Amino acid sequence: MNSNYKTLKQECYEANMELNALGLVIYTFGNVSAVDQDKGIFAIKPSGVPYEVLRPEDIVILDFENTIIEGKLRPSSDTKTHAYLYKNWTDIGGIAHTHAMYSVAWAQAQIDIPIFGTTHADHLTSDIPCTSPMSDDLIQGNYEHNTGIQIVDCFKEKGISHNEVEMILIGNHGPFTWGKNAAKAVYNSKVLETVAQMAALTLQINPNAPRLKNSLIKKHYERKHGKNAYYGQ
Amino acid sequence: MNSNYKTLKQECYEANMELNALGLVIYTFGNVSAVDQDKGIFAIKPSGVPYEVLRPEDIVILDFENTIIEGKLRPSSDTKTHAYLYKNWTDIGGIAHTHAMYSVAWAQAQIDIPIFGTTHADHLTSDIPCTSPMSDDLIQGNYEHNTGIQIVDCFKEKGISHNEVEMILIGNHGPFTWGKNAAKAVYNSKVLETVAQMAALTLQINPNAPRLKNSLIKKHYERKHGKNAYYGQ
Amino acid sequence: MNSNYKTLKQECYEANMELNALGLVIYTFGNVSAVDQDKGIFAIKPSGVPYEVLRPEDIVILDFENTIIEGKLRPSSDTKTHAYLYKNWTDIGGIAHTHAMYSVAWAQAQIDIPIFGTTHADHLTSDIPCTSPMSDDLIQGNYEHNTGIQIVDCFKEKGISHNEVEMILIGNHGPFTWGKNAAKAVYNSKVLETVAQMAALTLQINPNAPRLKNSLIKKHYERKHGKNAYYGQ
Amino acid sequence: MNSNYKTLKQECYEANMELNALGLVIYTFGNVSAVDQDKGIFAIKPSGVPYEVLRPEDIVILDFENTIIEGKLRPSSDTKTHAYLYKNWTDIGGIAHTHAMYSVAWAQAQIDIPIFGTTHADHLTSDIPCTSPMSDDLIQGNYEHNTGIQIVDCFKEKGISHNEVEMILIGNHGPFTWGKNAAKAVYNSKVLETVAQMAALTLQINPNAPRLKNSLIKKHYERKHGKNAYYGQ
């Protein structure tokens, strides 16, 4: 394909295909984007195109004001949420959105996912936040843009960092995840879905299961992400 | 094959095979039909033939009075239900019936599936209706025909449109879905099964999970199906 | 292979492999047998041989007194249960035993599986029986033989026919199923597992879900198995 | 590869790949080791290396004091737990650790898995132990080493043998399993996951499900592992 954004489109395409390969989406129920913060543009899946027929050249390029820079197809209906996050969190490289089963179940239950174990603590130190339903005004307004505002504000209110907690549940809707690049955002979607299922099963076995103690939360997060991390190569 | 209905048989065959590929049926527990409303005939899976050996030429052609027009095999035992729906809802193009796990579980629980989230609202704006058990008289009578009556009457009583709500649960039995063609009917069977599982898990996590608020129901349905829809291409 | 029982061994081998292909067993957790009632012998899986390496010539041939007629390997540890059933129910052709997930869960719960819907009624008209735990005397005695006695006695006590109800749960253990041949026994294992999962999910959604009404039980069973059956070819 | 430990590395590599093939791990959430007790060394998966790219030559060789003997990569972060177990239980040949779904759910629920049926009794005669959370002191100290101490002490306190009970749940974390070699340790991880799911479903169907009676526990364990065992070849 002729394009000024070949690499970014390819990264975006591969991350979208991985979302599908991991069993996190059916039909067109999800989307991944990848950003080039220097150029102020991002690549995102076109709306309503099944993964089976998606090609790298179908990926749409936009700026943070949602103007299409390159691409013949209409971008994902969630595009404005992606744009808002990239504009406000300038250190992230990719965003993923799915309707994965257990992530959606918690979002519909409107409950933060409690940190019950080390699988969770290996990735983040707090409960996974779930936003409250948006006000009617905001829903009837610029809905997808306002979803972005809702996410950023939720992190401010709770005093948590989007670098440490790379995932959120939109109440009644589903998960958004992000990371240093699109592949990491997809990885986080899979981790979230796994942790969400583990937590649901934990409560089924023991409705009074306690949260993980602070010392273990710290230990597991630090050994993977701390200054003296000894996990990985 | 020599047939006056090659295209319709092929459409019906492919939709039946897709039902199987999507994991919605085991053995012979399901059937799909496709209609030609102009000719007043429809194509349906033969009864009790496993998907592994099903061929396009095995598909049976009938009119709306259940007379076989073409085909050597006996049609699906649910044929009269399909015929009744085609006769009464002249704007639908295909119908699917399955015994998919979570759809059947809700049908056996005899509860409408509450609209808990946007995955549901992306496809329809009301709870997914579940019919009450049929009266003994009707069961002992023309059972499959009466199932058709039950479906059409249920929509009239609830004041919902079969164009907006393309699915129903028959209490104690399982789901019927439909759409503009057979492929869309199968798509709706998969959506229903997904939404049914999400709703069951939601209630497991939070037995008091609230229904989706009206503004969000409207927003999500409109952005996909409304006059100013901006989902898809 | 040189054998007087090539056909029976092949039938038995294929049914065992199908059990594995259907996802009803892991490792060596299951066995299928096929009988030749005229000769008074049956073929059964050897004990502890993984499906990945099982060959038709490994199948063991025994008479109803559990004497090995042909075969170099030790037969399944459940062999005496099979022998007892063949000796007492002379009209069945095959038996299957698994540790499939939901069938075992109901067996461990020690509860008959209630007839909640038409998927169940398409195959049998009563709840799926679950035996009470065996007395200590019988366990310490000829255990597998006594399991056979337990099954036959359970059907006598409940006044149900093994021709109509081709399956049972052994309390705390798991399912046995049978049929006119080994393939039908395996089919019944898959149906049982499906119905067991549907029933568990039904109760999870609605702990007060009612049993299927008698008129529907009769209708669905009769249309598939009655004198005027119109299901299948 | 040039190595003094080719066979051990190969055994370790194959067992790790089997863990993945059995669906017990995603990404890098697990590790298997194999020991040579005569030489006082063991082989273990390198930390954070995905199964898709893992090669036999990547396996790391260490002694029981956690000194790397051969290998360029950093060993699994859980290495010290493996070392401690090999040092104290000199008759085991392999160890596996996973974050498999149902095993983790029970670990997070902080409940021993009750022995509900014969699938469980075929493999061990007691409930599957779940350790209490570690004290803050031990967590902040030599954490993975202390996890090893916790496991060995748990078996001493409960008076159970690691030869009979080849598995444990670390509270809030997940399962460790072992056996005569690495393949058997992996087998036990799969058995544990299966039994964990069966037990969770059993309690969902019947919250008052009784434990298996002692005579049946003994019978099933003895027929597979006792002096007069008649299971297997």
Side-chain angles (χ1 to χ4, degrees):
Chain A
M1 56 180 162
N2 273 327
S3 169
N4 295 319
Y5 309 100
K6 255 191 166 173
T7 312
L8 198 64
K9 282 185 177 181
Q10 186 66 26
E11 180 193 348
C12 177
Y13 167 76
E14 285 175 12
N16 272 287
M17 294 310 282
E18 176 73 2
L19 205 66
N20 190 34
L22 287 169
L24 296 171
V25 288
I26 59 164
Y27 296 123
T28 61
F29 299 10
N31 46 72
V32 189
S33 66
V35 75
D36 184 328
Q37 283 283 0
D38 292 338
K39 294 188 181 148
I41 53 104
F42 66 102
I44 195 163
K45 184 177 173 296
S47 182
V49 175
Y51 292 98
E52 291 70 26
V53 301
L54 186 66
R55 300 167 307 167
E57 55 263 41
D58 298 331
I59 302 297
V60 187
I61 303 288
L62 302 103
D63 66 18
F64 299 167
E65 306 310 318
N66 298 294
T67 310
I68 295 181
I69 305 297
E70 190 180 290
K72 291 175 184 157
L73 298 172
R74 191 188 289 183
S76 163
S77 56
D78 295 307
T79 294
K80 288 181 184 173
T81 309
H82 292 243
Y84 188 85
L85 293 183
Y86 285 132
K87 201 168 170 179
N88 282 270
W89 293 342
T90 54
D91 50 5
I92 62 171
I95 299 170
H97 169 57
T98 78
H99 288 232
M101 191 53 68
Y102 285 87
S103 306
V104 166
W106 280 94
Q108 294 189 157
Q110 297 187 12
I111 297 179
D112 295 354
I113 304 179
I115 181 163
F116 281 134
T118 61
T119 318
H120 188 137
D122 282 340
H123 295 89
L124 67 161
T125 58
S126 69
D127 295 350
I128 297 168
C130 179
T131 68
S132 303
M134 211 183 264
S135 74
D136 289 358
D137 278 9
L138 295 178
I139 292 169
Q140 282 143 19
N142 198 348
Y143 175 60
E144 291 82 6
H145 178 79
N146 293 339
T147 300
I149 295 179
Q150 199 185 17
I151 293 173
V152 172
D153 286 357
C154 174
F155 273 68
K156 275 186 204 155
E157 279 159 30
K158 287 184 185 267
I160 50 178
S161 156
H162 70 271
N163 292 312
E164 193 180 308
V165 179
E166 298 183 319
M167 53 189 72
I168 195 169
L169 300 173
I170 307 298
N172 291 119
H173 186 165
F176 278 85
T177 63
W178 50 87
K180 65 179 173 182
N181 54 36
K184 184 69 193 310
V186 170
Y187 171 91
N188 283 331
S189 287
K190 181 69 177 179
V191 168
L192 169 50
E193 178 66 4
T194 305
V195 167
Q197 185 175 0
M198 284 173 175
L201 292 170
T202 300
L203 285 180
Q204 185 184 306
I205 295 169
N206 181 1
N208 301 312
R211 284 177 90 250
L212 188 61
K213 50 196 290 193
N214 283 330
S215 51
L216 264 175
I217 294 175
K218 204 177 158 198
K219 178 68 193 176
H220 268 263
Y221 192 76
E222 291 295 322
R223 79 174 191 168
K224 203 159 177 178
H225 306 280
K227 216 168 40 177
N228 300 309
Y230 49 95
Y231 184 95
Q233 300 300 327
Chain B
M1 56 179 163
N2 274 324
S3 168
N4 295 318
Y5 310 100
K6 256 191 165 171
T7 313
L8 198 64
K9 282 185 177 181
Q10 186 67 27
E11 180 193 349
C12 177
Y13 166 77
E14 286 175 11
N16 272 287
M17 294 309 282
E18 175 72 2
L19 205 65
N20 190 34
L22 288 168
L24 296 171
V25 288
I26 60 163
Y27 295 123
T28 61
F29 298 11
N31 46 72
V32 189
S33 67
V35 75
D36 183 329
Q37 284 282 1
D38 291 339
K39 295 188 181 148
I41 54 102
F42 66 102
I44 194 163
K45 185 178 172 294
S47 183
V49 175
Y51 292 98
E52 290 70 26
V53 301
L54 186 66
R55 300 167 306 168
E57 55 263 41
D58 297 332
I59 302 296
V60 187
I61 304 289
L62 301 104
D63 67 19
F64 299 168
E65 306 309 318
N66 298 294
T67 308
I68 295 180
I69 305 297
E70 191 179 289
K72 289 175 186 159
L73 298 172
R74 190 187 289 183
S76 164
S77 56
D78 295 306
T79 295
K80 288 181 183 172
T81 309
H82 293 243
Y84 188 85
L85 294 183
Y86 286 132
K87 202 168 168 179
N88 283 270
W89 293 341
T90 54
D91 50 5
I92 63 171
I95 299 170
H97 169 56
T98 78
H99 287 232
M101 191 53 68
Y102 285 87
S103 306
V104 166
W106 281 94
Q108 293 189 157
Q110 297 186 13
I111 298 178
D112 295 355
I113 303 179
I115 182 163
F116 280 134
T118 61
T119 318
H120 187 136
D122 281 340
H123 296 90
L124 66 161
T125 59
S126 70
D127 296 350
I128 297 168
C130 179
T131 68
S132 304
M134 212 184 263
S135 74
D136 289 359
D137 277 9
L138 295 178
I139 292 168
Q140 281 143 22
N142 198 349
Y143 174 61
E144 291 83 5
H145 179 79
N146 293 339
T147 300
I149 296 179
Q150 199 185 14
I151 294 172
V152 172
D153 286 359
C154 175
F155 273 68
K156 275 185 202 153
E157 279 159 29
K158 288 184 185 268
I160 50 179
S161 157
H162 71 271
N163 291 313
E164 193 180 309
V165 179
E166 298 183 320
M167 53 189 71
I168 195 170
L169 300 174
I170 307 298
N172 293 119
H173 186 164
F176 278 86
T177 62
W178 49 88
K180 66 180 173 183
N181 54 36
K184 183 70 193 308
V186 169
Y187 171 91
N188 283 331
S189 287
K190 180 70 177 179
V191 167
L192 168 50
E193 179 66 4
T194 304
V195 168
Q197 185 175 357
M198 283 172 175
L201 292 170
T202 299
L203 285 180
Q204 184 184 305
I205 295 169
N206 181 2
N208 301 312
R211 284 178 89 249
L212 188 61
K213 50 196 291 192
N214 283 330
S215 52
L216 265 175
I217 294 175
K218 204 178 158 197
K219 178 68 192 178
H220 268 263
Y221 193 76
E222 292 294 324
R223 79 174 191 168
K224 202 158 177 179
H225 306 282
K227 217 168 39 178
N228 300 311
Y230 50 93
Y231 184 95
Q233 301 300 327
Chain C
M1 56 179 162
N2 274 326
S3 168
N4 295 319
Y5 310 101
K6 254 190 167 172
T7 313
L8 198 63
K9 282 185 178 181
Q10 187 66 26
E11 180 194 349
C12 177
Y13 166 77
E14 285 175 11
N16 272 287
M17 295 309 283
E18 175 72 2
L19 205 66
N20 189 35
L22 288 168
L24 296 171
V25 288
I26 59 163
Y27 296 123
T28 61
F29 299 10
N31 46 71
V32 189
S33 66
V35 75
D36 184 329
Q37 283 282 359
D38 291 338
K39 295 189 180 145
I41 53 104
F42 66 102
I44 195 163
K45 184 177 173 296
S47 183
V49 175
Y51 292 97
E52 289 69 27
V53 300
L54 186 67
R55 299 167 308 168
E57 54 264 40
D58 297 332
I59 301 296
V60 187
I61 304 288
L62 301 104
D63 67 17
F64 299 168
E65 306 309 318
N66 298 294
T67 309
I68 294 181
I69 305 298
E70 191 179 290
K72 290 176 185 159
L73 298 172
R74 190 187 289 182
S76 164
S77 56
D78 295 307
T79 295
K80 288 180 183 172
T81 309
H82 293 244
Y84 188 85
L85 294 183
Y86 286 132
K87 201 168 170 180
N88 282 270
W89 293 342
T90 54
D91 50 5
I92 63 171
I95 299 170
H97 169 57
T98 79
H99 287 231
M101 191 53 68
Y102 286 86
S103 306
V104 166
W106 280 93
Q108 294 189 157
Q110 297 187 13
I111 298 178
D112 295 356
I113 303 179
I115 181 164
F116 280 133
T118 61
T119 318
H120 188 137
D122 281 341
H123 296 90
L124 66 161
T125 59
S126 70
D127 295 350
I128 297 169
C130 178
T131 68
S132 305
M134 212 183 264
S135 74
D136 289 358
D137 278 9
L138 295 178
I139 292 169
Q140 281 142 22
N142 198 349
Y143 174 61
E144 290 83 6
H145 179 79
N146 293 339
T147 300
I149 296 179
Q150 199 185 16
I151 295 172
V152 173
D153 286 357
C154 174
F155 272 69
K156 276 186 203 153
E157 279 159 30
K158 288 184 185 268
I160 51 179
S161 157
H162 71 271
N163 292 312
E164 194 180 309
V165 179
E166 298 183 320
M167 53 190 71
I168 194 170
L169 301 173
I170 308 298
N172 293 117
H173 186 164
F176 278 86
T177 62
W178 49 87
K180 65 180 174 182
N181 54 36
K184 184 68 193 310
V186 170
Y187 171 91
N188 283 331
S189 287
K190 180 71 177 180
V191 167
L192 169 50
E193 178 67 5
T194 303
V195 167
Q197 184 175 359
M198 283 173 175
L201 292 170
T202 300
L203 285 180
Q204 185 184 306
I205 295 169
N206 182 1
N208 301 312
R211 283 178 91 251
L212 188 61
K213 51 196 289 193
N214 283 330
S215 52
L216 264 175
I217 294 175
K218 204 177 157 197
K219 179 67 192 177
H220 268 263
Y221 192 76
E222 292 294 324
R223 79 173 191 169
K224 203 158 177 179
H225 305 281
K227 216 167 40 177
N228 300 311
Y230 49 94
Y231 183 96
Q233 302 300 328
Chain D
M1 57 180 162
N2 273 326
S3 168
N4 295 319
Y5 309 101
K6 255 191 168 173
T7 314
L8 198 63
K9 282 185 176 181
Q10 186 66 27
E11 181 193 348
C12 177
Y13 166 77
E14 285 175 11
N16 272 287
M17 294 309 282
E18 176 72 2
L19 205 66
N20 190 35
L22 287 168
L24 296 171
V25 287
I26 60 163
Y27 296 123
T28 61
F29 299 11
N31 46 72
V32 189
S33 66
V35 75
D36 184 329
Q37 283 283 359
D38 291 339
K39 295 189 180 146
I41 53 105
F42 66 102
I44 194 163
K45 184 178 173 295
S47 183
V49 175
Y51 292 98
E52 289 70 26
V53 300
L54 186 67
R55 301 167 307 168
E57 55 264 41
D58 296 332
I59 302 296
V60 187
I61 304 287
L62 302 103
D63 67 18
F64 298 168
E65 306 309 318
N66 297 295
T67 309
I68 295 181
I69 305 298
E70 191 179 290
K72 290 175 185 159
L73 298 173
R74 191 187 289 183
S76 163
S77 56
D78 295 306
T79 295
K80 288 181 182 172
T81 309
H82 292 244
Y84 187 85
L85 293 183
Y86 286 133
K87 201 168 171 180
N88 282 271
W89 293 342
T90 55
D91 50 5
I92 63 171
I95 299 169
H97 169 57
T98 78
H99 287 233
M101 192 51 70
Y102 285 86
S103 305
V104 166
W106 280 94
Q108 293 189 157
Q110 296 187 14
I111 298 178
D112 295 355
I113 303 179
I115 181 164
F116 280 134
T118 61
T119 317
H120 188 137
D122 281 340
H123 295 90
L124 66 161
T125 59
S126 69
D127 296 351
I128 297 169
C130 179
T131 68
S132 304
M134 212 182 263
S135 73
D136 288 358
D137 278 8
L138 294 178
I139 291 169
Q140 281 143 21
N142 199 349
Y143 175 60
E144 290 82 6
H145 179 78
N146 293 339
T147 300
I149 295 179
Q150 200 186 15
I151 294 173
V152 172
D153 285 358
C154 174
F155 273 68
K156 276 186 203 154
E157 279 160 30
K158 288 183 184 270
I160 50 179
S161 157
H162 71 272
N163 292 312
E164 194 180 310
V165 179
E166 298 184 319
M167 53 190 71
I168 194 170
L169 300 173
I170 307 298
N172 292 119
H173 186 164
F176 278 86
T177 62
W178 49 88
K180 65 179 174 184
N181 54 37
K184 184 68 192 311
V186 170
Y187 171 92
N188 283 331
S189 286
K190 180 71 177 179
V191 168
L192 169 50
E193 178 67 4
T194 304
V195 168
Q197 185 175 358
M198 284 173 174
L201 292 170
T202 300
L203 285 180
Q204 185 184 307
I205 295 169
N206 182 1
N208 301 312
R211 282 177 91 249
L212 188 61
K213 51 197 289 193
N214 284 329
S215 51
L216 264 176
I217 294 175
K218 205 179 157 197
K219 179 67 192 176
H220 268 263
Y221 191 76
E222 292 295 322
R223 79 174 192 168
K224 202 158 178 180
H225 306 280
K227 215 167 41 177
N228 300 310
Y230 49 94
Y231 185 96
Q233 300 300 326

